[in-house]
Amino acid sequence: MRLLTDLHEVDGALTRRAASRIPPGVAKVLSAVEESAESTKLWCGAAAVMAWKGGGRGRKAAAAGVGALVVAQLVANGLCKQLADRPRPPAEWIPHDEVADRPDSPSFPSGHTAAAVAFTAAVAPTWPAVGALCAVPAVMVAVERVQSGAHYPSDVAAGAAVGLAGAWLARRAPALVLRRWT
């Protein structure tokens, strides 16, 4: 029980620090990137461009990314948030107005981070350069979720873990299904 108390204290301290120390100009850029990733717009747009311009490799990477994103969203938002039902960080910890824009849904895990990491981790093995490019906004989304007061750092870490698991499953599911049926 002490471990959970310590984790909550560290989470609170890191949340307050991120919300108060990130310069306003950087916060605006983070918010713009997060807004573009809202409802998976950024990742679906990236998948469309990869499929359109990337030939066979682009279509394979896009399919893996979207598949992983769907798995991660279902697990993070459809299952984990309902089971954990963790409240968002207290609004008084956040010294700026972004706290007013956060959702009413449970905090744990971060669905935005789960989607970003899932897409990026699924794309990277097929097209490493594009995976590296996708990692930049994925990290920005994760940082923004804490900076804006929408999540604790542990929510973002759990979202990243869900995203990695979703990518692993999406990339291996076809082979697992074929092996089972053949």
Side-chain angles (χ1 to χ4, degrees):
M1 194 58 156
R2 178 72 184 149
L3 180 63
L4 288 177
T5 302
D6 290 346
L7 175 62
H8 187 68
E9 288 175 12
V10 169
D11 253 358
L14 291 173
T15 301
R16 289 187 296 273
R17 183 171 292 156
S20 65
R21 293 204 177 161
I22 292 181
V26 173
K28 280 188 185 266
V29 172
L30 292 174
S31 289
V33 171
E34 184 277 329
E35 182 63 34
S36 73
E38 185 73 34
S39 301
T40 68
K41 294 181 297 236
L42 176 63
W43 314 116
C44 290
V49 171
M50 286 188 293
W52 178 42
K53 293 288 193 179
R57 178 169 68 168
R59 287 186 294 279
K60 183 177 178 184
V66 170
L69 183 146
V70 168
V71 169
Q73 289 285 282
L74 288 172
V75 171
N77 295 328
L79 179 64
C80 294
K81 281 187 184 285
Q82 308 318 310
L83 293 174
D85 199 28
R86 183 182 194 184
R88 303 278 174 175
E92 59 269 11
W93 288 2
I94 313 305
H96 48 74
D97 61 355
E98 283 188 59
V99 74
D101 291 337
R102 65 189 185 170
D104 294 329
S105 61
S107 182
F108 184 89
S110 168
H112 283 79
T113 303
V117 170
F119 185 84
T120 301
V123 165
T126 301
W127 204 346
V130 173
L133 286 174
C134 290
V136 174
V139 168
M140 293 172 79
V141 165
V143 170
E144 190 280 340
R145 300 313 287 159
V146 176
Q147 180 273 328
S148 68
H151 290 286
Y152 293 99
S154 62
D155 299 338
V156 170
V162 167
L164 289 172
W168 180 88
L169 185 61
R171 293 196 55 83
R172 286 168 182 75
L176 294 172
V177 169
L178 286 175
R179 191 174 345 164
R180 177 94 168 131
W181 288 12
T182 58

